[in-house]
Amino acid sequence: MLLGLAAGASILAVAIIGLIIYEIVNSASPAISKYGLGFFGHQTWNNYTVFGAATLIFGTVVTSAGALLIAAPLGIAIGLYLSLFSARRTAAIIGPLVEMLAAVPSVIIGLWGIIVLGPFLRSTIEPWLHDALGFIPLFGTPSATGSGVFTAIIVLGIMALPIIAAITRDLFLTVPSELKDGALALGATRWEMVRGVVLSSMRPGIASACILGVSRALGEAIAALQVIGSVFQISSNLFAPGNTLGATIAIQANADNSKLQVASLFYLALVLLAIELLVNLAAQAIVRHYRVPSASGPTIVAAGAPN
Amino acid sequence: MSNKTQTRSPYSVMDEPHSEIDAATAPVVAPLAIEVADSKDETPPSREVVFDLRDVSVYYGQALAVAGVSLEIHRNQITAMIGPSGCGKTTILRSLNRMNDSVSSFRLTGSCTYHGNDLYASGVDAVEVRRRIGMVFQRPNPFPKSIYDNIGWAPRILGMRDNLDERVEKALRGAALWDEVKDRLKTSALGLSGGQQQRLCIARSIAIEPDVLLLDEPCSALDPISTASIEDLMQDLKNDYTLVIVTHNMQQAARVAERTAFFSLDVSGGQRKGILVEYDDTATIFTRPADKRTEDYVTGRFG
């Protein structure tokens, strides 16, 4: 009976995924047959007539990559601190707080992005970066409103951060104390031990943590919509407004859209789904490919326990 | 004879000439039917002291783990620490190279000197201590890297990059592992057998040319053949290094060590704490122990 329920639930989950994919492909088919693969290269998105996804794919990829660039080093640093460097009591306080950051609804982070972060970036960080590094096209004219790709990168980075921090922390806690002791006994400093033994043996796990973090950024619709400015353009200037797949799907899904527009939105959904699935498959492939047998199994002997 | 005297700044190791213990003397069958490595050579009184522990006690938080240990460990000898579980042998061993530093509640009182320098003085860098006093652990703990990188990792971070290939080969030869692995240096160390992994860990330790090797029950996870090869290796290593071994195996102590320290548990006063009962030449410990508790232990009456 219980077995049947469990099996049924699993089948239901698979069925739902299948149904969603079928529904998306089916609904997108008018746009697929009209635009074909040209959809990916076309930059114009004109609300009743012409639909191309290039600016949205660009915005999605840039914001997610930027978010990863910010969240990965910070998240790994937090993970290292909580698992290896902080006192147990400190970790017991900070750890749950970091995890709570993942529980803040994205619409609230987006709201904070509009009210606090955007104006701050526009008045302080963006002019400073522009003055210092303005010769690089990435740091062009600061945004007029505080909304833009740069703001979205930071908001999405904040959303990816707790995921990467929590997963890498748990990962680093699994490094056997025998390995860490082995490195320290060779006259390595703690940081050399971290680099030589912890980080290098956990590379695949760290990559998976980053991919899970970036997949949250990729799929985020509301927070991105709130801070990115919703302009269909490809700009080398990070401070300029842009748009993402998720944000466009979220804002444009109205009942009174034209048939082609609805189909195009479903086509966007298909692209987003494909990106997410690819990223997830990549994570699984990395874990499978690099899975190394653990050197000495899970830690059983607490380091330094009296005999 | 010694090739490890070049980088010794904070601890000036006196390189006095010292007599070699002749470990090859025919084993004497002791009355207690345990073979003893050597018994003829009395330790010369002038033998150089590497570690000098005076009234060392170790606490974990408020709990007294080991009480009042005093012993000297001599250069180019193998010193064994034996005793029942929980008697503090490993705690004392790990105190010799500051491996207990990572235990936040750890506290040591008394004096623990290494070549006359207080290991627990405020200015002493534990990293530098471990650089000179290597350690091999109970379970083989090779890094999940290639055989070559297991050996080469520490020399690289310690700035001994020159002639790394030769250094790796020398370390592997020193640990009697070279012939078995020379054709697969780039393969993962995790593919080696347990005994090979433990010899790799010894090779890894001697690659950075330490002064002392601490061995914490190095054979407890190994089969008898691997154990024999590690014991043979220890006899070779003591020409260049000072060795301290913790072992549960009395026969092993009798086979390899010149000096043996017997630790036991003291439960008087309602407090369980480890104490050093007796420390003497191995032959004495196993044939004519001064203390009744030592005799009971080495004859197998308890423990």
Side-chain angles (χ1 to χ4, degrees), chain B residues 1-302:
Chain B
M1 180 214 83
S2 171
N3 56 358
K4 52 197 176 12
T5 50
Q6 61 268 56
T7 52
R8 276 292 118 82
S9 50
Y11 304 105
S12 54
V13 177
M14 292 170 288
D15 269 74
E16 295 169 357
H18 53 273
S19 66
E20 282 295 307
I21 280 284
D22 181 12
T25 40
V28 172
V29 179
L32 298 173
I34 289 174
E35 291 187 0
V36 172
D38 73 281
S39 56
K40 298 234 169 62
D41 284 300
E42 290 303 312
T43 308
S46 63
R47 187 172 270 283
E48 184 182 334
V49 174
V50 176
F51 290 104
D52 188 359
L53 277 62
R54 295 278 167 83
D55 198 25
V56 167
S57 297
V58 174
Y59 298 82
Y60 290 106
Q62 292 303 308
L64 177 61
V66 191
V69 172
S70 296
L71 55 80
E72 288 182 351
I73 289 168
H74 297 122
R75 186 165 175 185
N76 295 94
Q77 276 194 342
I78 301 177
T79 303
M81 296 181 177
I82 61 169
S85 296
C87 67
K89 325 178 280 291
T90 297
T91 295
I92 289 294
L93 189 80
R94 291 174 71 99
S95 301
L96 296 180
N97 70 340
R98 303 268 306 252
M99 280 307 286
N100 283 325
D101 284 16
S102 55
V103 182
S104 55
S105 62
F106 170 84
R107 192 158 54 84
L108 182 140
T109 62
S111 136
C112 179
T113 64
Y114 167 67
H115 292 295
N117 300 278
D118 186 354
L119 279 174
Y120 287 85
S122 58
V124 173
D125 180 6
V127 171
E128 188 59 32
V129 169
R130 295 185 202 120
R131 150 82 189 75
R132 282 152 209 288
I133 307 172
M135 189 162 207
V136 175
F137 296 84
Q138 196 169 350
R139 294 205 301 186
N141 58 351
F143 302 134
K145 302 176 188 289
S146 72
I147 293 170
Y148 185 96
D149 286 340
N150 259 275
I151 313 284
W153 181 71
R156 269 195 210 111
I157 61 167
L158 296 170
M160 298 187 276
R161 285 157 213 267
D162 294 343
N163 306 321
L164 195 58
D165 289 355
E166 281 122 84
R167 185 178 285 278
V168 169
E169 178 176 343
K170 194 172 147 208
L172 285 168
R173 283 190 190 282
L177 192 59
W178 174 252
D179 290 331
E180 291 161 62
V181 301
K182 64 183 175 201
D183 299 323
R184 48 170 172 151
L185 292 175
K186 297 290 173 198
T187 60
S188 170
L190 303 179
L192 297 172
S193 74
Q196 289 173 324
Q197 288 190 359
Q198 196 62 302
R199 275 180 285 150
L200 182 74
C201 293
I202 292 175
R204 188 170 76 180
S205 298
I206 62 180
I208 57 170
E209 299 171 21
D211 180 41
V212 180
L213 261 188
L214 307 177
L215 302 118
D216 184 7
E217 300 185 35
C219 303
S220 64
L222 304 183
D223 61 71
I225 293 171
S226 305
T227 299
S229 75
I230 300 271
E231 289 178 6
D232 287 347
L233 177 58
M234 289 174 67
Q235 294 303 331
D236 295 338
L237 290 172
K238 77 173 180 191
N239 294 324
D240 291 323
Y241 307 95
T242 303
L243 277 76
V244 186
I245 177 172
V246 162
T247 177
H248 270 302
N249 180 335
M250 277 184 283
Q251 281 78 11
Q252 182 168 57
R255 282 192 300 263
V256 302
E258 279 93 12
R259 301 274 288 173
T260 296
F262 171 63
F263 287 79
S264 190
L265 263 178
D266 183 87
V267 290
S268 63
Q271 199 181 21
R272 289 165 58 90
K273 56 182 187 288
I275 51 164
L276 173 63
V277 175
E278 190 170 354
Y279 178 47
D280 211 324
D281 289 342
T282 300
T284 310
I285 292 286
F286 283 97
T287 56
R288 305 179 296 279
D291 196 291
K292 180 77 167 59
R293 288 168 291 180
T294 314
E295 188 182 333
D296 286 350
Y297 187 75
V298 298
T299 53
R301 249 169 267 165
F302 92 103

Side-chain angles (χ1 to χ4, degrees), chain A residues 284-302:
Chain A
Q284 289 178 23
I286 288 172
V287 171
R288 255 199 305 276
H289 182 73
Y290 288 101
R291 180 162 289 161
V292 219
S294 141
S296 32
T299 311
I300 298 162
V301 189

